[in-house]
Structure formats: C-alpha cells, structure tokens
Amino acid sequence: MTHYLMSVHGPAEMEDYGNYGSKEAMEEAFEATSAYNDQLKADGYWVFAGGLQPASTATVVDGQGEKPVMTDGPYLETKELIGGFWVIDAPDLDVALELAAAASKACRGKVEVRPFDGLA
Amino acid sequence: MQTGTAVERVFREEYGRLIASLVRRFGDIDIAEEAASEALVAALEKWPASGVPPNPGGWLTTTAGNRAIDRIRREKLRDTKHRAALMNHDDTPPDPTGPVEDDRLRLLFTCCHPALAPEARIALTLRLLGGLTVPEIARAFLVPETTMGQRITRAKKKISAANVPYRVPEGDDLPERLSGVLTVLFLVFNEGYLASGDGDPVRVELTGEAIRLVRILRGLLPDQPEVAGLLGLLLLTDARRESRVRNGQLVPLPEQDRAGWDRDLIAEGHTLVRECLAINQPGRYQILAAINAVHTDAPSAADVDWAQVVALYDQLTRLDDSPIVALNRAVAIAELDGPEVALALVDRLPLTGYHAWHATRAELLRRLGRRAEARAAYDEALAATQNRAERAHLEAKRAELA
C-alpha cells in the first residue's frame, strides 16, 4: 500500500462561492464530496482529508534564524493554490488515479495525485 | 573473442525477457537493471572458458536473480527485511516460455502507463525491453544524452515512488492503454525502419523487437483487431526491408526489386489483413496494413491499384485527420490524378519541419518539370534528415536536376 496526497487546486482569490459560480453549484459540490468521502471511508482508503481556508489566511513562519520571522499570506505568489486535500492509502497508482477521478468529479476541480515519501 | 561476441548476442536477445522477469520478481527496475548487467559480466568471465551453457537465458536469469538477492542483502535498504522475506517465499523456477512473455508484456504496459509522459514511454520501452543504451536512445531521438538520461531516470523513479503497478490492465482501461502501447511499438518499429540518426540506416534490433512484442501482444489479445492490424502492417513493411536500401541509397517503393521481398512475411501479413476484414472493426493500423497489402499484392509497381489505395486513405482520414495521413494520401493521389493535383494538396500541409514533406514536394515538382523549385525542395529535405541512405537517395535525385 502507498499513501497518496490528493490535492485540489483553486484560485488564490476566492469569490463569494469559491470557484463554483453560484450557491447552488457550491452546495451540490459539497454534497457530492461528502458522499465521496463516505465511500472512501467505507472502502478503506480514507486516511485524512480537509478543505482549507483561503490562502489569504495563511502565515509563513521562518524559524531557521535566531528568532522566527512571520509573514502574512502564502509562501508563493501564484494564481492557483491548494484549496483542500485528501490523504489516502491505496494499493497502487491505478487505484489512486481511479479514486482521484471520482474525487475530481465530486469536488468539481482538478486533483493532483502525489505519493508520500514517508509518513511519521 | 568468439565467445565474447556470442555472449553479447545472447545477452541482447535475452535482455528484455531477463529484465521483465527480474522486475516482476523484485519489483524494482533499478535492481533488475543492475542484476542484469552483473549477470552479463559473470557470463563474459565464465562462458569463454566453460562454453555457452545449453540454456543461456535460464543461466542469465538464475545468475541475475542470485546477484539481485546478494545486493539486496548487502545494502542496508530501509525495507531489507521485508524484501528478503518476500524473496525466501519466491521459489519461482526459471520461467518456461509462456509466463515469461507475459512478464515482458506487463513491463511494456508499465512503461506505457498514461501517468508517464509520452516521450518517456518510448524511451523507457527502448531501454528496458529493447536493451538499448541511453546514448543510443538519445541519438535515435536527436536529444542530448543528459536529457535522455534524466527523462529515463525520472520515469523510473515515478514508477517506483508512485507505485505504478506491473500488470496488464483489465476491462475499461485496456483499450486506452492498448492504443498507447501500439503507438509506442509502431514508433519503435519506424525508428528502426528509417533510423533518424546518421548511424545504420536500418536498425534491425528495433524492427525485430517491435515485431516480437506485437507478436506477444497478439498471442495475449487475439480478439483485438488493431493488434492484428499492427502486426500485419509491420510484417508487410518489414518484408520489403532487404530491397529498400541498395548501394547505400534508399530505394523508393515503386523502384524496389520485388523479387527481393520476403514472400513468407507477405503471406502472413495478407492473412492478418483478411482476418481484420472479416472482423470488420476498422482501425488505423488495420487500414495501414490494408494499404500495404495492396502494394504487396501488385506483381509490379505499374499494377498497383491506386484507386483502392486512395479509398483506404480516405477511410483513414475519417479516423485520423492528421497532416501526415494527408501527405501519404497525396502521394497516392499523384499516381491517380497526377502530380499537379497532389502538389496543391501537399502545399497546404503544415509540415515544414518534416523531411518527408520536403521530399514529397521535391519529387512532385521534379515530375512537373519545375527543376529549380525541385532542387530547392531537395535541399530542404536534405537539411531535415540525417539518415545516410535517405540522404544518398535525395542527393542522387537532386544531382539529376543539376
């Protein structure tokens, strides 16, 4: 089994309803994602998942010097940032890609699949 | 010295099978490759003294397997114990032919996984199943060695880190992946049939490996007409190989000595084409095979049924509306409706970087008596190809116009 991060990317600047366009579309996506999560748990692939607050709520901490330095905002200036993610445990990449396709359909976004190097 | 050459020949022939069985057993491409080269070194040391063993493939597999186990034990890999435990349970005897072929196919599908970049798929297939070195692959694709090395290393690392499975997919995934596998095998064959570099004009180790792998594929997927079609296409093309280069010059199809064509391959190819027709699910390779069947059916170049060839290209265009198909169709149109009609079609195609487009234009302009333009087109074609036999042919044609 291999652990994979399935991350969903979205616009750095969120509109009222994220990138969903309307309230209805957003609710539909949330519902579909919730159903997808239940299925993931039932099938035993679920490890952890979560949506993230907008990137504007991020703080970057650099603790490499003597005193930590805090900076408001995300680390990278970019048009797209990670909006949420799943951590799954799947037997191989083919299974992970299948799960990612269903995840992408549920949350209405592109999903990046990336294996973990190790988990603590 | 004699044995040294024999060792290398056996090794080249056995390489794909050896790697595939080692990858299946140890689940790691790097371990498989290193064990295979250690087995080659061992063979080069032993065989010259003791002679080539009766089953060289089995000898190499056993030796490489032992070397791999030694290496895994020696190195303190994080999961040594886990691997060693697996190894103790693996009492797989040296494989007989059937399952071994399956190993190669499994590795081929792994190399052609859609999660890998298309260019990496071909390179990896050539490396692991064709046994080509990285510099050879780099030369074939006209890229720097370091670039090709990185491309291959990256693909191998992704297979291992992302846990790309070693298996032939089943069900829904198969048609999509099969088409990728067929594309790679067709490209491998083409690279061998008209090598892009300035080395040997024809590389039989590539054409041979492509045909061998398509044959394995056909054994496993006997009901897929595109597999039969590709095999037919490759056999009908390969049948003409001996007549294709004369005195170092490429000989175009109409000028080839038909007595030099391999009749057995042609007969086998025609049988495959008839089989495809009976299934009646036309696809790209089946149509290309049918076109080659029309050529090889004609007793002389003058007897080729060009109307039939054009009709087949029309059918192909409906499936694959690419400029390359349009270019090949125009060549047939030239025979049916004359060079002027064909040239008008060719001139519209966005293929200015493609040597065959310039060569086709040059030939059509030559036939129309537009000598200066033809000469310029031959120059463009010469600038776009490194293949020695093709260059010799183009230079000879250009010289006729001087």
Side-chain angles (χ1 to χ4, degrees), chain B residues 46-367:
Chain B
K46 292 214 168 126
W47 295 3
S50 61
V52 176
N55 176 2
W59 191 97
L60 286 168
T61 306
T62 307
T63 308
N66 291 337
R67 296 299 164 112
I69 291 170
D70 286 349
R71 189 184 153 215
I72 290 163
R73 284 196 181 134
R74 214 167 43 233
E75 286 179 13
K76 300 223 182 316
L77 292 173
R78 190 176 35 189
D79 48 355
T80 303
K81 282 189 184 133
H82 172 65
R83 281 174 193 275
L86 273 180
M87 237 55 73
N88 291 335
H89 289 292
D90 189 333
D91 46 12
T92 322
D95 290 290
T97 333
V100 174
E101 292 186 339
D102 209 332
D103 275 346
R104 276 184 286 186
L105 197 70
R106 204 177 303 153
L107 188 55
L108 177 62
F109 272 96
T110 306
C111 293
C112 295
H113 197 282
L116 302 176
E119 71 270 19
R121 295 180 205 167
I122 307 168
L124 209 54
T125 306
L126 288 171
R127 173 82 201 98
L128 296 179
L129 290 159
L132 267 72
T133 63
V134 173
E136 278 174 336
I137 300 168
R139 240 179 292 133
F141 288 89
L142 306 174
V143 298
E145 218 173 293
T146 44
T147 309
M148 187 50 82
Q150 282 161 358
R151 207 178 272 175
I152 292 172
T153 306
R154 209 177 141 225
K156 285 198 287 195
K157 187 167 171 22
K158 180 160 182 183
I159 287 175
S160 130
N163 197 4
V164 174
Y166 297 103
R167 67 159 171 253
V168 178
E170 288 160 30
D172 293 350
D173 285 334
L174 191 56
E176 183 209 341
R177 305 230 180 144
L178 178 63
S179 85
V181 166
L182 295 179
T183 305
V184 165
L185 289 172
F186 186 43
L187 289 171
V188 169
F189 179 88
N190 283 340
E191 180 55 33
Y193 199 65
L194 187 66
S196 54
D198 60 1
D200 286 342
V202 178
R203 305 183 65 183
V204 285
E205 81 273 16
L206 293 188
T207 54
E209 184 63 10
I211 289 174
R212 199 162 58 114
L213 290 172
V214 182
R215 280 193 192 282
I216 296 171
L217 208 51
R218 169 143 174 84
L220 277 145
L221 303 165
D223 299 328
Q224 291 279 342
E226 276 294 84
V227 179
L230 181 60
L231 183 57
L233 168 62
L234 300 193
L235 295 178
L236 291 170
T237 311
D238 201 46
R240 307 196 301 262
R241 180 159 43 87
E242 292 296 323
S243 307
R244 206 158 136 278
V245 179
R246 193 170 52 219
N247 303 328
Q249 263 191 44
L250 200 69
V251 185
L253 209 159
E255 294 161 35
Q256 285 176 16
D257 172 19
R258 288 175 179 244
W261 290 359
D262 186 322
R263 288 291 140 194
D264 290 340
L265 289 185
I266 289 175
E268 194 185 347
H270 282 194
T271 305
L272 286 162
V273 170
R274 279 194 298 275
E275 210 176 288
C276 291
L277 285 173
I279 296 173
N280 195 23
Q281 290 167 21
R284 176 167 184 236
Y285 300 115
Q286 297 174 68
I287 297 169
L288 287 169
I291 291 167
N292 279 276
V294 175
H295 283 295
T296 45
D297 240 351
S300 77
D303 296 315
V304 171
D305 183 349
W306 288 106
Q308 178 69 16
V309 173
V310 171
L312 285 164
Y313 273 119
D314 287 343
Q315 198 186 357
L316 184 58
T317 306
R318 285 194 288 277
L319 290 176
D320 175 11
D321 188 16
S322 74
I324 305 255
V325 171
L327 178 67
N328 289 318
R329 180 178 174 276
V331 172
I333 290 281
E335 302 304 322
L336 199 64
D337 299 330
E340 193 148 17
V341 180
L343 185 62
L345 294 172
V346 170
D347 277 342
R348 280 210 298 269
L349 302 173
L351 292 172
T352 49
Y354 185 44
H355 64 98
W357 182 76
H358 293 290
T360 305
R361 282 194 78 241
E363 168 70 13
L364 294 171
L365 288 163
R366 190 182 61 81
R367 281 200 236 168

Side-chain angles (χ1 to χ4, degrees), chain A residues 1-2 4 90-95 97-98 115-117, chain B residues 78 113-115 158 161-165 167 169 173 177:
Chain A
M1 298 290 276
T2 303
Y4 297 93
D92 59 46
L93 184 68
D94 283 355
V95 176
L97 294 177
E98 224 172 275
F116 275 88
D117 190 19
Chain B
R78 190 176 35 189
H113 197 282
K158 180 160 182 183
N163 197 4
V164 174
R167 67 159 171 253
D173 285 334
R177 305 230 180 144

Side-chain angles (χ1 to χ4, degrees), chain A residues 53-90:
Chain A
Q53 293 283 353
S56 57
T57 64
T59 311
V60 174
V61 181
D62 186 352
Q64 298 173 93
E66 217 157 280
K67 270 204 224 161
V69 178
M70 321 284 175
T71 322
D72 176 43
Y75 181 62
L76 292 174
E77 286 283 340
T78 166
K79 281 186 205 144
E80 297 228 312
L81 282 161
I82 184 168
F85 63 89
W86 288 267
V87 177
I88 57 161
D89 191 11

